[in-house]
Amino acid sequence: MVNLTKLAAPLDVGGVRIRNRVFLAPMSGITDEPFRQRAHAHGAGLVVSEMVASGELARGRAGFNLRIRHSGLPVHMVQLAGREAAHMAEGARIAAGEGADIIDINMGCPAKKVTGGYAGSALMLDLDHALSLIDAVVGAVEVPVTVKMRLGWDEGALNAPMLARRAEQAGVRMVTVHGRTRCQFYQGKADWRAIARVKEAVSIPVVANGDVSSPAEAAAILVQSGADAVMIGRAHYGAPWIAGGIAAAAAGEATPNIPQGSTALADYIVAHYEDMLALYGVESGLRQARKHLGWYLDRHAGGATDDGRKAILTAFEPAPVIALLRDVFSRDPQSLNLRSAA
């Protein structure tokens, strides 16, 4: 495929070596430690923590240490969000103290609860303030700092190239661009060609993000954007192996550690479930895991009954959930949708 082999090559980010150029995007409430470990095991080049609110982290709010805890992977990357320079700097110091190799600044989240606090993609409305946060983080830590952004707030303010250029001048070592504006949220098609304007504006690596779920789409986004790497988010719902599958395709190899067959898939999903219970505790873990179980059911067990699905997603004890999962996912593999990179 045109240009796909580029994704198999390592990438240097401020002196940190990334093993390939297909990344797992940071996703709030999704890319926790168990999910990142799986994506890495399947071959994703870089995995990023879920977004961490810098103010809550700086104030020591309970539970936030789990989001920045080092999971033993070769590269530990933490994404911070916030509006206050002092909190962003302190959050970065705390994350670096926990072993973060790269600190990413969120300037792309479109969620109202984030932009309503003038963080995330709302920072693209005030580039001077956005730069004050970048300066604070870069000045607070020795590790490389990166930024994730959108094309702009809306079609009338497509200022990602300007933000990227100023970020590079401030010491940022890589930028990721989602090919939509904030006001688009996730509607319509990501504009991959618009990312090319960011690539033209800077000399640091540019990562293209938005609507990639297959090797063909990864090749297309590289051609249209000229980017150095690809970041993939929502395509991973119910399939933590997507980034690794694309990286493997780029290298002409098989996706590592894919569950082969229905019994292996059942074991895989149960192990993911149990790891979440171990991380969060049973009460919280039951709630946290439900979205993942729902995605696994949607993607791989279309034949599951409504009653069986409801029982899995509403149970308050782990044992019946595990028994039901093994029953549903251990059936005839023809009823499953087990695909390695799509």
Side-chain angles (χ1 to χ4, degrees):
M1 294 182 183
V2 178
N3 212 28
L4 187 63
T5 56
K6 171 181 179 178
L7 294 177
L11 180 67
D12 182 273
V13 179
V16 177
R17 185 180 186 275
I18 311 302
R19 63 179 178 175
N20 66 56
R21 300 178 182 220
V22 189
F23 304 160
L24 170 69
M27 292 181 282
S28 184
I30 300 168
T31 55
D32 57 13
E33 185 176 309
F35 199 94
R36 297 196 307 273
Q37 288 175 329
R38 280 162 176 77
H40 179 268
H42 294 307
L46 183 65
V47 298
V48 190
S49 78
E50 56 185 313
M51 179 180 67
V52 181
S54 59
E56 305 291 353
L57 182 61
R59 287 190 287 269
R61 181 176 172 183
F64 275 70
N65 59 314
L66 292 179
R67 300 188 183 186
I68 64 167
R69 187 174 74 178
H70 201 299
S71 55
L73 301 180
V75 178
H76 182 40
M77 185 170 179
V78 173
Q79 188 188 70
L80 296 177
R83 174 74 180 179
E84 302 296 330
H87 289 160
M88 290 292 288
E90 181 60 17
R93 282 190 287 266
I94 293 169
E98 290 292 325
D101 300 292
I102 303 173
I103 304 292
D104 186 60
I105 302 175
N106 185 313
M107 295 190 177
C109 180
K112 290 182 180 179
K113 67 179 181 180
V114 176
T115 60
Y118 302 102
S121 55
L123 292 168
M124 300 192 75
L125 290 169
D126 185 347
L127 296 194
D128 287 341
H129 185 69
L131 264 293
S132 74
L133 303 186
I134 292 171
D135 287 337
V137 174
V138 170
V141 295
E142 298 294 327
V143 301
V145 175
T146 63
V147 174
K148 189 171 190 292
M149 64 185 72
R150 288 201 162 211
L151 297 176
W153 180 259
D154 57 27
E155 290 295 327
L158 300 177
N159 56 0
M162 182 180 297
L163 174 57
R165 184 165 53 247
R166 293 183 65 180
E168 179 181 21
Q169 293 169 350
V172 162
R173 309 306 291 270
M174 181 175 76
V175 296
T176 299
V177 185
H178 182 108
R180 289 182 174 87
T181 66
R182 183 271 174 184
C183 289
Q184 285 181 271
F185 285 86
Y186 295 98
Q187 300 300 311
K189 183 74 173 66
D191 187 348
W192 296 342
R193 295 188 186 280
I195 299 172
R197 293 194 285 273
V198 178
K199 177 61 182 171
E200 293 165 358
V202 298
S203 59
I204 55 178
V206 173
V207 185
N209 175 223
D211 294 344
V212 174
S213 63
S214 69
E217 289 166 341
I221 198 173
L222 287 179
V223 169
Q224 293 183 33
S225 69
D228 303 281
V230 174
M231 181 172 279
I232 302 166
R234 293 170 296 152
H236 285 96
Y237 291 0
W241 48 81
I242 291 294
I246 293 173
E253 301 170 352
T255 308
N257 302 307
I258 281 286
Q260 300 291 339
S262 55
T263 299
L265 179 61
D267 290 342
Y268 181 97
I269 294 167
V270 168
H272 189 177
Y273 181 63
E274 292 177 333
D275 283 352
M276 293 191 72
L277 298 180
L279 178 67
Y280 296 110
V282 172
E283 183 178 353
S284 178
L286 281 166
R287 296 193 304 271
Q288 298 275 2
R290 283 171 182 157
K291 55 182 171 289
H292 292 282
L293 299 183
W295 291 325
Y296 283 128
L297 287 164
D298 290 342
R299 195 156 193 155
H300 309 294
T305 66
D306 290 343
D307 287 345
R309 180 186 176 90
K310 181 178 179 180
I312 288 170
L313 299 181
T314 59
F316 288 97
E317 295 292 338
V321 174
I322 291 170
L324 287 164
L325 288 171
R326 291 199 180 281
D327 177 59
V328 168
F329 288 101
S330 294
R331 294 176 187 172
D332 180 356
Q334 296 304 312
S335 69
L336 301 176
N337 178 24
L338 185 58
R339 302 174 64 190
S340 63

